Amino acid sequence: MASIRWKILLAFFLIVGISFFVAATSLTGLVSQYLFDQRKRDDSLKTEKLAIDAAYYFQSVSANELNELLEDHAATMDGRLMLIDNDGKIQYDTFQTLCGQRVQVDEVLRVLAGEKEAYNIHSPGKAIVEAMSGERGAEYVAYSAREIEGYQGRIGVALYVGRVQKLMDSLKSVRVQLLSIFAMIAVAALVVALILSRILTNPITAVSRTMRKMGKGDLSVRVPVRGSGELRELAENYNTMAAQLESLDKSRNQFVSNASHELKTPLATMKILLESMIYQPDMPEEVRVDFMKDMNHEIDRLTGIVTDLLVLTRLDNKEDMKRDCVDMSELTLETIRMLTPAAEQNHQVISEDVEGGLYLYGDRSKLNQIIYNLMDNAIKYTPEEGTISVSLREEDGDIVWRVKDNGVGIPKEDQEHIFERFYRVDKARGRDTGGTGLGLSIVKQMVKMHGGSISVHSEPGKGSEFVVTFPQEGETP
Ligand SMILES: Nc1ncnc2c1ncn2[C@@H]1O[C@H](COP(=O)(O)OP(=O)(O)OP(=O)(O)O)[C@@H](O)[C@H]1O
Ligand SMILES: [Mg+2]
């Protein structure tokens, strides 16, 4: 299984295992080296002392004294002692078994060949001369050979065959102890690695599980946010993304349901009117004409809604904006001219304050739609005899539109919602005046596309003012 969890586990285990193994081996090496060196120093010193003590008697060939000397030394040295002459023949042996014989002990041969001393440890079975009688080959033994110096140079070799089994045993037990500690640490490392890998991978597994659920269509699932650092950030970011997706999905559903509802109303009205006309063939002519006018009005409304919906979807798709140098002064005056008849019909007055020669780099038809929708609202939501004032000015380098009316106004709690799609303050009245609640959301989107901002100041009963500000430079594309 190549999952991240197993990789973490393996990596952790390998790192801890290898480092401990290296540490343990070098520690054992150092300890053995130290103990060996100490032993070698001890043995060499003892052999040297023996060689010096034996030199006198060996030269004078006083066998009894020599034997006594050897016995004394052997008692303190815990081993076998031998004296060998320059021909390699054993002259004295504390075990008495090899006197007069030649033995091929490498250390002795090396001293005979000219070295001052020679030392080596032999593993069981490799030793030629046993350290204890009758136990040959069963133990580790150390050979420490040293020349015996007479007045005219070397007169023989002293050989000390020492028992090093204890040393080897304690080394072995050190090794065994280290090995068992190593095994314990390895098991502990494995357990820690297991726990650690679980802690590390749990959040990732949670994200993956949630993603799978979301992929199946449940947009409400979230990842539990735990711990700290990158994994917490991952969970948080994922949840933010999921929330965004969910809200997008909701608003899309809302949009579709609102749109269908808005389309259904005029259709239902038209159906009632049509059915009345079908089932009342003898309907008076004026009533029939009225019905037909109403139907025409409903068709206009339908067309209006469909047009607005199309505009909105195009804006959603971020369809290419045309960019031109637009004469804002001219555009404003043109829109005022276009809407004057509608205002006059309501006996409203439009007052204008348009600064000349103001240009903006943008999409002419969209800019036109912005001011048109705002003025259309002002006219629609202002009672007869009201005043609508439109101004275009340059303020602090920005181009600013203000559309003000002394109409019905907008309650505070509705002000933050009026830019949402299909939002109408007074649902019933909105329908009378033919509003769908799309106008301001289109305006907001288009203002945003020009890098501008829109705000509203309004008091119910007193009127409203919409302010659109375009920065002249640095519009977002
Ligand atoms: N100048 C205004 N005075 C009072 N209320 C307003 C004004 N402008 C907008 N509103 C309120 O904000 C709501 C949303 O306006 P918006 O222009 O988006 O929709 P609408 O005018 O109802 O319909 P549409 O513009 O799509 O035909 C309106 O229904 C209205 O209640
Ligand atoms: Mg409107």
Side-chain angles (χ1 to χ4, degrees):
M1 204 195 295
S3 81
I4 200 165
R5 182 158 177 217
W6 293 110
K7 282 183 193 155
I8 293 173
L9 201 79
L10 194 71
F12 189 84
F13 186 67
L14 280 181
I15 291 168
V16 174
I18 291 176
S19 4
F20 192 79
F21 184 73
V22 170
T25 355
S26 40
L27 199 69
T28 335
L30 277 174
V31 170
S32 348
Q33 193 59 48
Y34 175 77
L35 292 176
F36 273 135
D37 286 352
Q38 205 179 31
R39 175 73 193 226
K40 184 178 173 184
R41 223 172 19 249
D42 277 5
D43 287 355
S44 300
L45 273 173
K46 284 176 189 162
T47 323
E48 188 184 356
K49 195 162 173 287
L50 170 74
I52 292 167
D53 287 352
Y56 170 75
Y57 301 107
F58 203 54
Q59 260 164 328
S60 58
V61 202
S62 47
N64 284 342
E65 282 89 343
L66 250 183
N67 271 329
E68 254 172 56
L69 180 82
L70 284 186
E71 290 302 333
D72 283 353
H73 276 275
T76 56
M77 284 165 79
D78 183 30
R80 182 179 189 172
L81 302 178
M82 290 182 204
L83 297 179
I84 298 139
D85 64 17
N86 269 343
D87 297 330
K89 217 185 258 175
I90 296 169
Q91 296 297 335
Y92 296 92
D93 172 14
T94 46
F95 285 14
Q96 313 285 353
T97 52
L98 295 171
C99 289
Q101 291 186 31
R102 274 175 217 277
V103 278
Q104 296 294 314
V105 174
D106 192 44
E107 290 69 24
V108 175
L109 294 179
R110 272 160 57 197
V111 174
L112 286 175
E115 284 178 36
K116 213 163 176 58
E117 60 181 339
Y119 187 88
N120 213 350
I121 287 178
H122 298 268
S123 47
K126 297 274 170 64
I128 297 165
V129 183
E130 72 268 39
M132 271 176 74
S133 59
E135 286 197 13
R136 187 170 165 185
E139 285 194 349
Y140 278 91
V141 288
Y143 288 170
S144 174
R146 189 176 175 95
E147 69 167 11
I148 305 170
E149 261 185 295
Y151 304 117
Q152 277 106 31
R154 192 191 62 226
I155 50 173
V157 182
L159 176 67
Y160 164 50
V161 181
R163 300 171 60 196
V164 280
Q165 191 56 39
K166 266 193 200 142
L167 174 72
M168 298 317 287
D169 285 349
S170 49
L171 268 180
K172 200 172 154 194
S173 97
V174 166
R175 261 192 216 116
V176 169
Q177 273 176 31
L178 274 172
L179 205 75
S180 40
I181 293 175
F182 171 73
M184 275 181 330
I185 286 187
V187 171
L190 202 67
V191 172
V192 171
L194 260 168
I195 296 169
L196 207 72
S197 65
R198 180 168 280 257
I199 290 173
L200 282 175
T201 52
N202 260 0
I204 299 172
T205 325
V207 172
S208 146
R209 208 182 308 124
T210 313
M211 279 169 99
R212 216 174 304 128
K213 277 193 199 153
M214 269 192 90
K216 284 184 185 156
D218 182 1
L219 296 184
S220 66
V221 282
R222 296 289 179 276
V223 184
V225 178
R226 280 193 231 109
S228 59
E230 288 92 339
L231 291 175
R232 186 188 180 87
E233 211 175 296
L234 175 72
E236 282 171 349
N237 287 344
Y238 182 81
N239 285 346
T240 313
M241 186 197 75
Q244 193 84 16
L245 269 179
E246 195 183 12
S247 116
L248 265 177
D249 188 58
K250 267 195 193 137
S251 64
R252 188 181 54 102
N253 280 341
Q254 187 75 36
F255 181 69
V256 172
S257 105
N258 282 340
S260 334
H261 183 74
E262 290 301 327
L263 292 175
K264 232 178 116 184
T265 321
L267 281 174
T269 316
M270 286 202 297
K271 188 169 167 63
I272 293 170
L273 293 171
L274 248 177
E275 276 177 355
S276 314
M277 281 159 67
I278 293 170
Y279 297 118
Q280 296 172 39
D282 47 356
M283 184 184 266
E285 189 55 28
E286 329 66 273
V287 180
R288 185 188 298 274
V289 171
D290 266 357
F291 275 23
M292 303 247 266
K293 275 185 187 159
D294 284 350
M295 276 167 57
N296 194 36
H297 178 69
E298 291 302 326
I299 289 175
D300 283 349
R301 235 182 102 183
L302 262 183
T303 318
I305 297 171
V306 172
T307 315
D308 279 355
L309 284 176
L310 273 177
V311 169
L312 266 177
T313 24
R314 277 210 204 107
L315 292 181
D316 274 354
N317 290 344
K318 304 236 162 25
E319 248 173 44
D320 278 349
M321 270 231 315
K322 291 185 199 81
R323 292 252 172 207
D324 281 316
C325 187
V326 181
D327 185 338
M328 294 292 276
S329 315
E330 187 211 301
L331 183 132
T332 313
L333 290 172
E334 206 175 274
T335 314
I336 294 174
R337 260 201 309 279
M338 202 192 298
L339 282 167
T340 301
E344 276 170 356
Q345 224 175 359
N346 290 349
H347 308 287
Q348 292 159 334
V349 181
I350 300 186
S351 83
E352 53 171 70
D353 171 16
V354 178
E355 206 178 306
L358 291 185
Y359 291 88
L360 187 74
Y361 193 61
D363 188 317
R364 193 174 204 287
S365 71
K366 288 191 176 68
L367 290 167
N368 186 48
Q369 177 118 47
I370 293 171
I371 188 68
Y372 182 95
N373 282 9
L374 290 179
M375 283 182 66
D376 176 57
N377 280 352
I379 293 169
K380 248 191 330 195
Y381 302 111
T382 302
E384 294 201 347
E385 315 292 340
T387 309
I388 289 126
S389 41
V390 181
S391 79
L392 172 76
R393 268 185 243 125
E394 187 176 341
E395 294 175 17
D396 301 328
D398 297 336
I399 289 184
V400 182
W401 258 329
R402 287 172 197 273
V403 180
K404 198 174 171 185
D405 63 62
N406 55 0
V408 294
I410 306 160
K412 196 108 204 108
E413 64 271 21
D414 292 306
Q415 286 179 19
E416 54 182 308
H417 297 296
I418 52 172
F419 297 102
E420 291 167 12
R421 292 171 182 185
F422 298 108
Y423 194 87
R424 285 188 303 249
V425 175
D426 184 341
K427 283 30 180 199
R429 196 196 40 179
R431 201 123 303 129
D432 287 346
T433 42
T436 337
L438 289 175
L440 283 180
S441 63
I442 293 177
V443 166
K444 177 144 194 183
Q445 192 103 341
M446 287 178 165
V447 169
K448 207 169 119 194
M449 287 172 98
H450 283 85
S453 61
I454 182 164
S455 62
V456 59
H457 314 279
S458 180
E459 234 181 279
K462 290 197 176 162
S464 320
E465 183 183 29
F466 284 84
V467 183
V468 181
T469 310
F470 294 111
Q472 267 178 299
E473 277 164 45
E475 309 101 282
T476 52

